[in-house]
Amino acid sequence: MSFLLVLVFATVQWRITRLMTAAYPQNWFRFAAAAFNIFLTISYAFTFPAALASRRLPLHAAMVLGAGALTYCMTATAVLGLYYVLRAIRTHFAAGTNPARRQMINAAGNALLASPFVVVGYGAFVQRTNFQVREVDVALAGLPHDLDGLRLLQLSDIHLSAFLSESELSRVIDASNELRANVALMTGDLISIRTDPLDACIRQLARVKSDAGIIGCMGNHERYIRAESYTAREAARAGIFFLRREARQLRFGSAVLNIAGSDFESHSNRRNYLAGMERLTAPGAMNILLQHNPDVFPVAAAKGYNLLLAGHTHGGQVTVEILDQSINPARFFTPYVYGLFRQGASAAYVTRGIGTIGIPARIGAPPEISLLRLRKA
């Protein structure tokens, strides 16, 4: 997948360079285009973990360069596609079209060519921090009367980093505390890279208020930076309990809510998803599994979990609706991209989460604070 993207982006940039140098054949422009392409190539290299690990630049600077290059490449690809569509339309209407209509077509075409930049700008500067509360009723078969109406707050994929400040996260926490949750749950990815402010993220999460405290599981980024043990230890000191192949039981009246959690389950290990996790289910209790990767849902249902809470996909982060179908990058990896899913008597909820990764923008998938109400089916 990464190789295919590189090939597409390289072809797009080569074509754009050819078109631009044909329009501006001066030597100074050719030199500027060559310099820009070298800078773009170096910057795009920082989208790969190996380049970030080389430490040739401060990690935050490298992350910003990589995100900027990826954003440019995605936008340029859209613009080039529109350019060829518009060129075909202009060619078709060139003959027999009066000058006024031709001028109108050209003006509309130029506006359309600018639209990808407008959309990305909106996603980066407006929708990226348009934190929304989404309330969802989750009907579960066999839900005890004392759990009917129980309110679960789910936060996920915070990615406190160069593209989400602590003050912005503080807004999320303040909004979460207004929801009066019975249980607060965190489903991974507190940060993105090693130099991100993990302690600040834990400090903000410790402000979350709920009747039963806050319980969580690790995401893939805690694994990537080898901070799982540190996160669990420091979070526990702040009153946050990360479940690492373990479970905690909460009693509400005469009913028991059994919450289990495990570290990130990699797609490369899909044949052994949740190995042994059936031992953490509790007979007679309502069993909830916290797992960052939503792709485990069928396995979780087979192992006896009534509800899976997950994140990881960011709801696609950049999502386009075509003929009532959501088109986004996450669909290449899992069918469980966003929302409520069911399999037999079990359910799964996949949240869009809070932060971003890759490009610092959200398009069609605004950040989400999830409030789930358990209901008797």
Side-chain angles (χ1 to χ4, degrees):
M1 184 66 182
S2 296
F3 174 77
L4 180 60
L5 277 178
V6 170
L7 184 61
V8 169
F9 291 156
T11 303
V12 166
Q13 187 57 24
W14 170 79
R15 189 58 190 153
I16 288 175
T17 302
R18 289 287 302 271
L19 290 169
M20 294 298 289
T21 52
Y24 302 96
Q26 298 90 340
N27 287 334
W28 70 266
F29 187 84
R30 292 177 181 275
F31 175 80
F36 176 77
N37 287 337
I38 292 171
F39 175 75
L40 180 64
T41 301
I42 294 171
S43 298
Y44 189 85
F46 290 115
T47 63
F48 296 97
L52 287 172
S54 68
R55 303 184 185 180
R56 299 195 175 185
L57 276 179
L59 274 175
H60 269 77
M63 186 177 179
V64 169
L65 286 174
L70 183 59
T71 303
Y72 167 82
C73 288
M74 292 180 67
T75 308
T77 301
V79 169
L80 186 65
L82 287 172
Y83 167 80
Y84 280 113
V85 170
L86 290 170
R87 192 170 76 168
I89 292 173
R90 285 167 174 163
T91 301
H92 179 74
F93 287 104
T97 303
N98 64 57
R101 183 170 295 180
R102 189 181 303 118
Q103 187 176 12
M104 183 184 68
I105 292 173
N106 288 336
N110 292 335
L112 189 60
L113 282 176
S115 63
F117 294 100
V118 175
V119 170
V120 170
Y122 177 79
F125 297 108
V126 178
Q127 197 162 64
R128 178 178 60 84
T129 56
N130 181 23
F131 307 116
Q132 300 181 357
V133 174
R134 187 178 190 223
E135 300 188 27
V136 179
D137 286 339
V138 183
L140 295 173
L143 185 74
H145 174 76
D146 287 334
L147 296 182
D148 192 16
L150 196 76
R151 299 162 68 86
L152 308 179
L153 169 70
Q154 183 189 6
L155 298 176
S156 191
D157 299 272
I158 291 172
H159 292 288
L160 189 63
S161 64
F163 306 116
L164 184 80
S165 68
E166 188 174 353
S167 63
E168 289 166 338
L169 176 56
S170 181
R171 286 170 46 203
V172 171
I173 303 303
D174 291 342
S176 299
N177 286 337
E178 295 177 1
L179 300 177
R180 304 185 308 280
N182 300 113
V183 185
L185 303 165
M186 167 65 197
T187 47
D189 279 3
L190 281 71
I191 41 72
S192 298
I193 60 175
R194 180 173 50 81
T195 58
D196 287 339
L198 178 57
D199 292 320
C201 191
I202 292 171
R203 182 171 62 248
Q204 287 294 332
L205 283 174
R207 294 178 48 229
V208 173
K209 298 175 183 177
S210 78
D211 298 338
I214 181 166
I215 300 170
C217 68
M218 300 289 177
N220 54 308
H221 283 267
E222 283 77 53
R223 173 169 296 177
Y224 291 163
I225 66 169
R226 300 179 182 178
E228 291 164 312
S229 296
Y230 177 88
T231 301
R233 182 175 66 251
E234 295 304 309
R237 290 176 179 173
I240 305 168
F241 301 99
F242 278 88
L243 303 177
R244 308 188 66 189
R245 302 189 73 81
E246 55 190 321
R248 290 177 68 89
Q249 294 190 356
L250 305 176
R251 183 170 290 277
F252 294 91
S254 61
V256 174
L257 192 69
N258 181 61
I259 303 176
S262 64
D263 291 350
F264 176 68
E265 296 275 352
S266 173
H267 291 276
S268 62
N269 192 43
R270 58 173 56 88
R271 291 185 179 180
N272 295 303
Y273 276 161
L274 305 177
M277 288 295 291
E278 66 278 2
R279 293 192 292 269
L280 296 181
T281 60
M286 188 58 48
N287 292 286
I288 295 179
L289 176 63
L290 307 182
Q291 169 51 230
H292 188 62
N293 182 4
D295 201 51
V296 305
F297 176 43
V299 179
K303 288 181 179 288
Y305 287 96
N306 305 98
L307 176 62
L308 167 72
L309 298 182
H312 190 45
T313 63
H314 300 195
Q317 190 170 316
V318 176
T319 296
V320 179
E321 292 283 341
I322 299 177
L323 300 176
D324 293 327
Q325 293 294 317
S326 294
I327 308 300
N328 58 67
R331 288 207 174 273
F332 288 100
F333 304 102
T334 180
Y336 309 107
V337 174
Y338 168 65
L340 187 63
F341 300 90
R342 296 194 175 276
Q343 180 160 319
S346 298
Y349 187 76
V350 185
T351 180
R352 289 190 294 245
I354 301 300
T356 61
I357 199 70
I359 68 171
R362 281 182 174 265
I363 301 169
E368 175 183 304
I369 301 165
S370 308
L371 183 71
L372 311 178
R373 284 185 298 265
L374 301 188
R375 296 296 188 191
K376 191 176 182 65

